[in-house]
Amino acid sequence: MLGPLLQSKLGLDAGQATAATGAALALVAVSMIAMQTLVLPRLRWSERSGILAGTGLVVVGMAGLAIAKDSGVGALALVATGFGTALATPAYTAWLARRVAIHEQGAAAGWLSSAHIIGQTAGALMGGFVFQLAAELPLLGCAGLALAAAAIAATLDRRGGMQR
């Protein structure tokens, strides 16, 4: 929904919004790669901490994008979201892998990949629908889902198991 959001917030035409979206997504991709190659290996966080920090950054990024009035703030918000995704994804992937037997890890990885694809598809459909109601609703929905993920992660103990 970034292209239509840029059109609505910054008054860009479709071509300008497409170019800005491409530049923004390239910036986010480079930021995520930098996070995962330069920062993540140095962190000694538990899966729980990675999920909580990552989802927190996604919430901050979505809130920042919702209130952004210019492209600089919007770019920072997108980078924060990318950093959050780059922290949370390996953390919950490791959490899943540690909870299944070695011979079940391929099936678990396939399940997780399928869940990602279903989430991206459903998110795009729902985001497009709610964008028509208000441009900020997809962002608030994303932030809400990140908060739900954080709430689930908060129930994990330090070793990554469920608290009792």
Side-chain angles (χ1 to χ4, degrees):
M1 300 310 317
L2 188 55
L5 183 68
L6 291 173
Q7 286 180 285
S8 116
K9 282 187 160 276
L10 302 180
L12 303 178
D13 66 32
Q16 293 169 322
T18 299
T21 297
L25 293 179
L27 173 66
V28 170
V30 169
S31 299
M32 291 175 72
I33 291 167
M35 171 63 80
Q36 288 191 333
T37 58
L38 301 174
V39 177
L40 195 59
R42 290 173 172 78
L43 298 176
R44 299 289 181 229
W45 290 355
S46 67
E47 291 132 3
R48 178 181 186 259
S49 296
I51 295 169
L52 290 173
T55 54
L57 283 169
V58 168
V59 170
V60 167
M62 289 294 102
L65 197 54
I67 64 171
K69 300 292 186 210
D70 63 58
S71 58
V73 173
L76 288 174
L78 287 170
V79 168
T81 302
F83 282 167
T85 303
L87 285 172
T89 304
Y92 67 69
T93 302
W95 182 87
L96 175 63
R98 285 193 332 125
R99 272 140 198 87
V100 297
I102 290 175
H103 69 278
E104 296 173 326
Q105 288 186 356
W111 174 87
L112 184 57
S113 293
S114 296
H116 282 156
I117 292 166
I118 291 168
Q120 290 168 357
T121 302
L125 290 170
M126 288 186 283
F129 174 74
V130 300
F131 183 87
Q132 295 176 18
L133 303 173
E136 289 78 17
L137 280 179
L139 306 173
L140 298 175
C142 182
L145 290 171
L147 285 172
I152 292 167
T155 66
L156 301 175
D157 66 21
R158 292 183 200 275
R159 294 177 311 282
M162 299 304 285
Q163 293 181 6
R164 300 205 193 274

